[in-house]
Amino acid sequence: MDLSPLSELPGVSYVMPVLNEEDYLEDAVRTILAQDYTGEKEIVLALGPSTDRSDRIAEDLAAQDPRVGLVHNPGRDIPIALNLAIAASRHPIVARVDAHSELTPDYTRRGIEALRREGAVNVGGVMRAAGRTPVQRAIASAYNSPYGLGGGAYHGDGEAGPAESAYLGIFRREAIEAVGGYDEGIRRGEDWELNLRIRRAGGLVLFEPALGVVYRPRASFGDLARQFFATGAWRAVLVRRHVGETPWRFFAPGTLVMAIAISLSLLVLQVLGAVGWSWWSLVHLAPVAYAAGILFAAARLPDLRGPVDRLLGAATLVTMHLSWGSGFLAGIAGFAGRTVDRSRM
């Protein structure tokens, strides 16, 4: 991927989808405006059809600072919002940011240093989930643990280097434009899919653990389940579309849900006497092993103290795994197109 040389202090356009983010939006924007990067900065907020005070907060922020601009996203989907915001922005660096995330003060400066040093076209850092209530803290702890999400380097403190994707991301605009922007037909997993096309085109996607972002996850188990079901469903779309290019971990939750479903179905048949208690009963080892694994993982989740917190942590892990896996199976069956993440509605 041939790109023009990057200047020492290139201007940065931050693009942010916004939908029902009244609790987090102002803090997110303030951390962007407070970046210690001395180059030019602008923020473009893509406003979805919020039903809370998000639009009013966004309008107040824009009135207070000319660096904050607004575009409207009546369709609500994240990739559409990102493309609209990118089109309305002007700087050679595009930083994707979320309304429920807070950047560390040195995030932009370190990110651009990494782009220049490594010749990368996108760089991302570590998602450090944090909660404000007991349930949200348990959810955050699972996000920060390999037992919760696992796999992606940006969920831990791995080594800097090439990555398959990046959390949020600080992009060269030319790289985004070269591959056609975000795929507006992908409602979840749009980051992974965009980075796949960038890598195919020869661009380097970089993980830089020095970059830190505080992420505020969903605050209830119901919202978490809706989010993860939608995520799993759209990951299945990526698996079907990019055969052989998706990591094996995408399949693990769906396999787990199938194993538990088979075990429960067989147990019902055995209790009713329709099936004997033969070697088929070995299938029951799957849910037993999973339950033992959950107890083991919950005892090791970071930043949780006491039996109540551990119980919430265990409930979080089960919600994540089974919701993601159920969504994945629905997506494999071809129902992802009807699946929308309504966890922030």
Side-chain angles (χ1 to χ4, degrees):
M1 182 178 286
D2 285 332
L3 303 179
S4 60
L6 193 62
S7 64
E8 185 174 351
L9 290 173
V12 181
S13 298
Y14 302 87
V15 294
M16 178 189 292
V18 178
L19 180 67
N20 290 330
E21 298 285 4
E22 65 177 3
D23 292 336
Y24 306 108
L25 177 57
E26 184 168 359
D27 287 343
V29 171
R30 298 294 183 199
T31 66
I32 296 169
L33 296 175
Q35 291 291 287
D36 64 13
Y37 182 68
T38 56
E40 286 191 81
K41 296 185 284 288
E42 67 173 350
I43 308 170
V44 180
L45 308 180
L47 305 180
S50 295
T51 56
D52 64 2
R53 295 178 54 254
S54 293
D55 285 5
R56 176 63 61 84
I57 294 170
E59 290 164 359
D60 289 345
L61 290 167
Q64 295 167 18
D65 196 308
R67 294 173 294 177
V68 180
L70 309 177
V71 295
H72 291 281
N73 173 34
R76 81 180 291 276
D77 289 333
I78 290 175
I80 296 175
L82 290 167
N83 284 341
L84 287 170
I86 291 168
S89 66
R90 59 190 177 89
H91 290 309
I93 298 296
V94 174
R96 176 182 173 171
V97 287
D98 279 345
H100 43 279
S101 297
E102 300 166 18
L103 308 182
T104 55
D106 60 357
Y107 177 84
T108 304
R109 174 172 52 81
R110 286 180 176 270
I112 291 177
E113 288 172 356
L115 287 179
R116 291 171 54 82
R117 182 180 67 247
E118 304 296 336
V121 299
N122 183 23
V123 60
V126 179
M127 171 200 285
R128 302 193 186 282
R132 296 171 176 172
T133 66
V135 170
Q136 193 180 37
R137 285 195 294 271
I139 293 172
S141 180
Y143 264 88
N144 294 332
S145 165
Y147 303 113
L149 297 177
Y154 51 82
H155 296 303
D157 295 311
E159 295 291 327
E164 69 180 48
S165 187
Y167 174 52
L168 300 180
I170 301 174
F171 295 83
R172 296 287 304 271
R173 178 186 293 272
E174 292 172 277
I176 296 177
E177 293 175 346
V179 298
Y182 286 90
D183 186 337
E184 296 182 0
I186 301 292
R187 292 180 174 177
R188 302 285 299 178
E190 69 284 343
D191 293 311
W192 187 90
E193 196 276 338
L194 173 62
N195 282 291
L196 173 64
R197 284 185 281 125
I198 287 174
R199 288 188 286 111
R200 281 177 176 172
L204 172 62
V205 178
L206 186 68
F207 172 64
E208 175 50 75
L211 305 186
V213 182
V214 175
Y215 170 75
R216 303 292 181 182
R218 305 310 192 257
S220 73
F221 290 126
D223 286 344
L224 182 69
R226 284 185 283 273
Q227 177 195 16
F228 270 65
F229 184 91
T231 299
W234 285 98
R235 283 295 192 276
V237 172
L238 297 177
V239 166
R240 295 174 63 180
R241 180 179 295 187
H242 305 292
V243 177
E245 295 185 273
T246 50
W248 67 267
R249 67 177 184 274
F250 283 10
F251 296 87
T255 302
L256 169 67
V257 169
M258 288 182 63
I260 292 175
I262 292 171
S263 173
L264 290 176
S265 299
L266 179 62
L267 181 62
V268 169
L269 293 175
Q270 289 174 325
V271 170
L272 294 176
V275 176
W277 296 82
S278 64
W279 64 271
W280 286 97
S281 299
L282 290 174
V283 75
H284 300 315
L285 291 176
V288 171
Y290 178 64
I294 288 296
L295 293 176
F296 175 87
R300 286 157 179 79
L301 289 178
D303 304 319
L304 296 183
R305 301 290 183 270
V308 174
D309 281 355
R310 295 296 176 188
L311 181 62
L312 291 174
T316 298
L317 293 173
V318 172
T319 301
M320 284 180 165
H321 299 160
L322 300 190
S323 298
W324 205 107
S326 299
F328 184 83
L329 295 178
I332 288 292
F335 298 112
R338 305 176 186 177
T339 304
V340 177
D341 177 12
R342 300 190 180 278
S343 59
R344 291 194 184 275
M345 295 297 290

